[in-house]
Amino acid sequence: MKENTKKYWRGVEELSNDPEFSKNAEREFPEFVALKEQDGTNSSEGSNRRDFLKLLGFGLGAVTLAACEAPVKKAIPYLNKPEEIEPGTSNYYASTFVDGGDYCSILVKTREGRPIKLDGNTLSPISKGGTSARVQAAVLSLYDQTRLQSFQKNKVAITDVAKADKEISDKLSAIAASGAAIRIVSQTILSPSTKAIIADFKTKYPTTEHVAYDAASAYGILKANQTTFGKFVLPSYDFSKASIIVSFGADFLGTWISPTEYSSQYAITKRLGKSKKTMSRHYQFETNLSLTGSNADYRATIKPSEEGLYVAALYNQVVGPLKGKKLGIESTLKNQAMVKKAADDLIAKKGESLVVSGSNDPNVQILINEINSALGSYGTTINLANPSYQRQGDDIAMSNFVDDVKAGKVGAVIFYNANPVYDFARGLELGEALKSVGLKISFNERVDETTALCDYACPDNHFLESWGDAQPKKNSYSLIQPTIAPVYKTRSAQESLLIWSGTTTGYYTYLTNFWGNTILNGASWDKTLHDGVLEVSSTEEAATEGVFETAAVESAISATYKAVQGIEVKLYEKVGLGWGSQAANPWLQELPDPISKATWDNYV
């Protein structure tokens, strides 16, 4: 085993080998507070525990004195105090936390115009007043001094932003006129108004395409649903209606897709009362012990190379008896008895069952779809009529983008809330290939791996400084409103795209017009802004039947999944840090993992 050579210092003095520090390095306390020895005699300095308490008291007093001697800052009182602000009294504003596909409707607690706490919005039918560690910690990132504090060109601060806007617009026009490709690369975008702005941007620059990917990808589910139901969508799952739950590596209570939503649903199935005498039964097949696995009634440890085989085994045990279909995949799995027990329970609770998988393999997800179809889960625990938009990333489209950059076909690229050089599988290739792209722009809030390679850094506002909207599901909308003026000289990404498109309308006006024309449909803007959320009705019926062709799927699974000997590696998403977009947040770094309790450092 490799020896750990990492060193830690108690301060700058130790790092620089300060002579005074080295002299007293072995002393726990200063010379004048040496304590009595255990035999009752004093040490050479002749101090006792009372002296130590005196020193402790002086230390606290010194901190207080130092605080009193802080630099004087002149505070200017309000000439016309805003009616809603009372010193010492908190105000709350409904808003929305969005980080890629992560979504939560929130209430922002402010005091004297500064956000200090994020709580869940109980009016949201999705998050239902819940939050996550990432949501709670997001308020700290607003005040992060490592955020980009102004626009930059080639890592030098831009003093004339209007001139830079003109430069960028001219370059985009020239690139579009030459026929070279322009790409906007982002994580999942939940904002319908932002998608409309991107569509307007495409009208101005016709060679533009929007490429979305997710670091925590659900492409396998999206592709499987396109194959079986003709819809490239992620269904809404309702764990509250499931009496039997079977999960293959999906940590739906911790990290998978929408854990805040699923946790509240799952809790309902475990809660007993006068009208509810039974709890749900939960089977978990996984490699590492997850938060979801730790709550399961039955849990089996499986290797990553076996996941497809376990899904195939459950398929034969469920679809075989119900539909008379069976895969010709034979394998020796050590947890066959548990698979059989799970299958029997699923069949016994047909219509009240739910099977999910965290696999990003479309072939595995197609088998999951047919299992759920045979169990009658579509229309009960799974809803395709009101799909979730929390994962829209297309891995193939993103991979094609990397190929286009390497082939020299891309003349300009704009990165919006995306760091693919760090978090996409082909990030290293992309980082090398970006050198040949003529115009590279980043909207990211800090100098990350991708922004460092860009010509222009045009940092987006923090979500607590911004107007915006979100559509986490087809029939669900929510608004984002600013609770503080921009801390730094940043600008919303939507505003930048509008300016470069030649639009004189500001984003707030664009947003209100967009909602009035396409979403509100008679509903009140003021009430929606107050509540934070809006639900719309839909008459579309949920799809319950799909087309299942399993010959190719069976062949692919047989070729991909084979029991092997030796150690296998399983990479997984952390409950706190997720895929790393908030890795600069110390609150999340110091948050102990709910299972291992590890904090701050890397396991390896």
Side-chain angles (χ1 to χ4, degrees):
M1 181 179 293
K2 184 178 179 180
E3 182 181 356
N4 183 9
T5 58
K6 187 177 292 186
K7 291 190 66 176
Y8 298 91
W9 298 281
R10 283 174 282 181
V12 178
E13 296 81 7
E14 183 180 6
L15 175 61
S16 59
N17 288 318
D18 182 270
E20 190 65 24
F21 178 87
S22 300
K23 176 182 175 182
N24 297 296
E26 301 304 320
R27 295 180 180 272
E28 184 176 2
F29 304 106
E31 293 182 3
F32 56 89
V33 290
L35 304 181
K36 285 186 177 181
E37 304 295 344
Q38 289 186 353
D39 60 3
T41 61
N42 286 342
S43 61
S44 58
E45 289 78 7
S47 301
N48 55 32
R49 294 186 182 276
R50 181 172 295 178
D51 295 317
F52 170 71
L53 294 175
K54 288 178 182 177
L55 177 73
L56 181 62
F58 171 76
L60 295 174
V63 172
T64 306
L65 290 172
C68 295
E69 295 174 1
V72 174
K73 295 183 179 180
K74 291 183 170 60
I76 302 175
Y78 294 112
L79 292 178
N80 293 298
K81 184 179 72 66
E83 291 183 7
E84 68 274 11
I85 292 181
E86 288 292 339
T89 301
S90 299
N91 291 327
Y92 293 83
Y93 299 90
S95 191
T96 306
F97 167 85
V98 174
D99 183 13
D102 283 1
Y103 166 88
C104 186
S105 181
I106 59 174
L107 293 179
V108 184
K109 180 181 181 180
T110 67
R111 191 165 288 171
E112 283 84 66
R114 293 185 297 275
I116 60 173
K117 181 75 165 62
L118 305 182
D119 293 305
N121 184 356
T122 56
L123 297 179
S124 169
I126 296 176
S127 52
K128 296 180 180 178
T131 61
S132 67
R134 299 178 210 177
V135 175
Q136 292 288 339
V139 70
L140 183 63
S141 61
L142 170 66
Y143 306 103
D144 187 356
Q145 293 185 347
T146 64
R147 286 170 56 198
L148 279 166
Q149 300 184 16
S150 65
F151 281 37
Q152 292 184 356
K153 179 181 179 181
N154 297 324
K155 300 180 178 62
V156 177
I158 294 173
T159 56
D160 191 342
V161 175
K163 181 180 177 181
D165 287 333
K166 178 72 165 53
E167 286 179 9
I168 292 172
S169 298
D170 290 345
K171 289 181 180 180
L172 288 170
S173 296
I175 290 168
S178 70
I182 300 173
R183 295 289 182 266
I184 298 175
V185 177
S186 74
Q187 297 259 347
T188 284
I189 294 179
L190 293 180
S191 168
S193 64
T194 302
K195 291 178 180 178
I197 289 173
I198 291 175
D200 294 342
F201 187 88
K202 290 180 182 179
T203 302
K204 173 73 173 179
Y205 306 106
T207 60
T208 302
E209 288 184 16
H210 175 215
V211 181
Y213 79 101
D214 291 303
S217 176
Y219 173 76
I221 302 176
L222 297 169
K223 184 63 178 176
N225 286 331
Q226 185 181 50
T227 301
T228 56
F229 298 105
K231 297 181 177 181
F232 191 76
V233 295
L234 188 71
S236 293
Y237 298 99
D238 192 344
F239 288 83
S240 68
K241 296 179 180 178
S243 297
I244 306 296
I245 300 167
V246 178
S247 169
F248 293 93
D251 184 14
F252 56 84
L253 299 180
T255 60
W256 189 67
I257 301 176
S258 186
T260 303
E261 174 188 8
Y262 301 152
S263 296
S264 62
Q265 296 174 354
Y266 184 80
I268 293 173
T269 71
K270 295 295 185 181
R271 194 176 297 133
L272 297 176
K274 292 182 178 179
S275 59
K276 188 173 182 297
K277 303 298 184 182
T278 60
M279 293 191 295
S280 66
R281 188 171 297 168
H282 173 194
Y283 295 84
Q284 186 80 5
F285 299 85
E286 61 182 8
T287 301
N288 58 292
L289 178 58
S290 67
L291 183 61
T292 304
S294 68
N295 283 275
D297 300 292
Y298 299 92
R299 179 181 176 273
T301 303
I302 65 176
K303 289 186 175 183
S305 61
E306 297 175 332
E307 184 170 355
L309 301 179
Y310 271 94
V311 173
L314 184 68
Y315 179 98
N316 286 339
Q317 296 284 357
V318 172
V319 180
L322 294 177
K323 297 179 66 174
K325 292 178 63 177
K326 200 169 184 179
L327 302 174
I329 300 176
E330 299 296 335
S331 57
T332 304
L333 301 173
K334 65 178 181 180
N335 294 301
Q336 286 278 18
M338 185 167 154
V339 173
K340 179 67 167 61
K341 180 175 177 57
D344 292 342
D345 282 350
L346 288 169
I347 293 173
K349 292 291 185 178
K350 184 179 176 182
E352 301 176 29
S353 300
L354 179 57
V355 182
V356 295
S357 170
S359 173
N360 207 31
D361 184 344
N363 295 301
V364 170
Q365 294 294 348
I366 288 173
L367 294 186
I368 295 290
N369 284 357
E370 188 163 7
I371 293 171
N372 281 313
S373 177
L375 291 168
S377 299
Y378 288 96
T380 55
T381 57
I382 304 176
N383 187 353
L384 281 169
N386 185 29
S388 170
Y389 294 153
Q390 291 183 250
R391 294 290 186 272
Q392 301 171 36
D394 188 330
D395 293 353
I396 300 301
M398 185 62 184
S399 189
N400 290 339
F401 160 72
V402 176
D403 291 336
D404 289 343
V405 173
K406 294 176 70 174
K409 298 178 181 179
V410 178
V413 58
I414 300 172
F415 295 102
Y416 172 43
N417 190 30
N419 184 15
V421 174
Y422 168 75
D423 59 26
F424 185 62
R426 299 179 64 188
L428 188 62
E429 296 176 56
L430 177 61
E432 288 294 323
L434 281 175
K435 298 173 184 177
S436 64
V437 177
L439 178 62
K440 303 175 287 293
I441 304 169
S442 171
F443 288 145
N444 296 348
E445 291 183 356
R446 64 188 71 250
V447 181
D448 52 33
E449 291 79 358
T450 302
T451 304
L453 301 176
C454 291
D455 309 308
Y456 292 89
C458 306
D460 191 8
N461 288 341
H462 192 275
F463 77 94
L464 292 173
E465 305 167 332
S466 307
W467 284 102
D469 57 357
Q471 186 181 11
K473 293 188 178 183
K474 181 179 178 181
N475 301 330
S476 300
Y477 297 87
S478 61
L479 285 170
I480 302 171
Q481 62 175 313
T483 54
I484 189 174
V487 177
Y488 305 120
K489 295 178 181 178
T490 58
R491 183 174 70 191
S492 73
Q494 294 87 347
E495 197 86 27
S496 295
L497 290 174
L498 286 170
I499 291 172
W500 300 339
S501 300
T503 304
T504 57
T505 304
Y507 180 45
Y508 172 73
T509 302
Y510 188 101
L511 177 69
T512 54
N513 291 340
F514 176 81
W515 270 64
N517 295 331
T518 62
I519 298 174
L520 289 175
N521 194 26
S524 167
W525 166 267
D526 289 341
K527 185 178 188 306
T528 303
L529 186 61
H530 173 272
D531 294 346
V533 294
L534 175 68
E535 288 291 298
V536 299
S537 58
S538 175
T539 57
E540 182 179 348
E541 294 185 2
T544 57
E545 296 296 332
V547 177
F548 299 100
E549 299 291 343
T550 55
V553 173
E554 179 180 342
S555 177
I557 288 185
S558 297
T560 303
Y561 299 92
K562 297 177 181 178
V564 296
Q565 299 297 319
I567 296 175
E568 298 180 24
V569 175
K570 172 70 172 180
L571 303 180
Y572 69 98
E573 191 178 351
K574 294 280 289 182
V575 171
L577 288 175
W579 63 84
S581 64
Q582 296 188 59
N585 193 317
W587 284 357
L588 292 177
Q589 288 283 359
E590 71 184 9
L591 175 71
D593 183 271
I595 301 300
S596 69
K597 308 304 179 187
T599 181
W600 277 110
D601 220 341
N602 188 291
Y603 294 166
V604 177

